[in-house]
């Protein structure tokens, strides 16, 4: 696809990808996942746990450990993780492929139990989570990374409610990172081809000059 081909040209003066995606696996994650609306409960749970695990660390650290997390946490099946015991906690603490933090590991187990409860109440966790943005992505129009917020009123509301329901490692900043990851907000810069691909409005100057939009005509 034109956007993917152009997006790989980091030095492009037309429409370069977001500046945080400069090396693998961040490039592939940016081009194929980040900001794409997610409605699958298992995948939503995966992002919830990974965003919590990232607290205090860089995103690239967790991206590099993602496959190890999937293997260690039974492919992020909440119904299985909810049954983890103290023996599983010790097993995970001995796994150097993941972040060996006891609080984060026990929070993942705790969150699996809370996740299942919410899923039963709202039929799906997806229905619960997307209600915080009115069931459709918020389309932002940031020009540069310094404009992108770390938290918003929506992430504040989500954090408060998740905490009330017993979730751990769900502060507002973590919730906003989750919203960005699962496409509840489109925070690709307007200069990034993914912004338009994910529903953002393309400005006239880009319509007349970008390779991306010319290929769409």
């Amino acid at each position: 696809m034109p956007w993917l081909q152009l997006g790989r040209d980091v030095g492009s003066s037309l429409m370069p990808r977001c500046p945080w995606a400069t090396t693998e696996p961040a490039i592939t994650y940016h081009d194929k996942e980040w900001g794409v609306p997610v409605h699958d409960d298992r995948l939503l749970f995966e992002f919830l746990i990974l965003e919590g695990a990232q607290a205090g660390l860089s995103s690239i650290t967790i991206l590099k450990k993602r496959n190890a997390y999937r293997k260690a946490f039974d492919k992020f099946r909440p119904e299985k993780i909810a049954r983890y015991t103290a023996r599983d906690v010790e097993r995970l603490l001995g796994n150097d492929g993941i972040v060996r933090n006891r609080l984060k590991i026990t929070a993942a187990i705790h969150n699996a139990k809370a996740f299942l409860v919410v899923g039963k109440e709202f039929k799906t966790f997806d229905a619960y989570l997307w209600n915080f943005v009115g069931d459709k992505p918020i389309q932002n129009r940031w020009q540069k990374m310094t404009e992108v917020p770390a938290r918003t009123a929506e992430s504040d509301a989500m954090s408060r409610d998740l905490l009330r329901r017993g979730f751990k490692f769900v502060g507002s900043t973590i919730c906003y990172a989750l919203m960005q990851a699962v496409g509840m907000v489109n925070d690709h810069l307007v200069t990034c081809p993914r912004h338009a691909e994910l529903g953002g409005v393309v400005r006239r100057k880009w319509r007349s000059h970008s390779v991306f939009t010319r290929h769409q005509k």
Side-chain angles (χ1 to χ4, degrees):
M1 293 178 67
W3 67 262
L4 186 58
Q5 188 175 38
L6 180 60
R8 285 183 175 145
D9 181 8
V10 178
S12 170
S13 61
L14 294 177
M15 294 183 72
R17 65 166 60 87
C18 297
W20 57 265
T22 58
T23 60
E24 292 292 357
I27 292 173
T28 297
Y29 176 61
H30 170 278
D31 290 353
K32 296 184 177 181
E33 289 190 81
W34 195 72
V36 176
V38 173
H39 294 286
D40 176 79
D41 270 16
R42 192 214 59 79
L43 190 51
L44 286 171
F45 179 69
E46 176 175 335
F47 277 113
L48 176 70
I49 298 306
L50 291 178
E51 292 300 344
Q54 186 182 317
L57 303 172
S58 67
S59 59
I60 196 68
T61 296
I62 300 303
L63 282 175
K64 288 180 177 179
K65 293 177 178 291
R66 191 176 182 185
N67 287 332
Y69 262 96
R70 285 173 172 165
K71 184 176 180 180
F73 281 88
D74 288 291
K75 298 180 180 179
F76 290 105
R77 289 176 288 177
E79 66 280 359
K80 187 153 187 174
I81 297 172
R83 297 195 297 269
Y84 278 5
T85 64
R87 180 175 296 180
D88 290 295
V89 172
E90 294 307 313
R91 168 180 63 83
L92 292 166
L93 284 171
N95 188 334
D96 61 6
I98 67 172
V99 177
R100 293 183 289 183
N101 179 298
R102 185 179 293 273
L103 289 178
K104 291 180 178 180
I105 290 171
T106 56
I109 300 171
H110 193 88
N111 287 350
K113 297 175 183 178
F115 182 95
L116 294 174
V117 172
V118 170
K120 288 182 180 179
E121 180 180 346
F122 291 85
K123 296 187 178 179
T124 63
F125 188 77
D126 168 61
Y128 162 77
L129 199 68
W130 276 82
N131 184 59
F132 288 99
V133 292
D135 298 317
K136 62 180 181 180
I138 296 173
Q139 296 292 340
N140 289 319
R141 294 192 53 80
W142 312 123
Q143 300 284 336
K144 49 190 177 180
M145 291 301 300
T146 54
E147 296 176 344
V148 181
R151 58 190 292 178
T152 62
E154 291 82 5
S155 68
D156 287 349
M158 181 190 297
S159 175
R160 285 194 300 269
D161 200 66
L162 286 170
L163 289 169
R164 181 178 66 83
R165 293 174 182 278
F167 285 81
K168 308 294 183 182
F169 281 90
V170 287
S172 186
T173 299
I174 291 175
C175 284
Y176 193 66
L178 174 66
M179 292 171 66
Q180 292 173 312
V182 303
M184 295 174 71
V185 294
N186 181 356
D187 270 358
H188 285 276
L189 301 185
V190 294
T191 52
C192 173
R194 287 300 273 156
H195 180 265
E197 180 73 13
L198 293 174
V201 177
V202 182
R203 286 190 171 184
R204 182 173 297 278
K205 66 178 181 179
W206 293 115
R207 281 202 295 269
S208 59
H209 295 296
S210 75
V211 173
F212 166 67
T213 48
R214 287 205 302 273
H215 277 272
Q216 303 305 306
K217 293 181 179 180

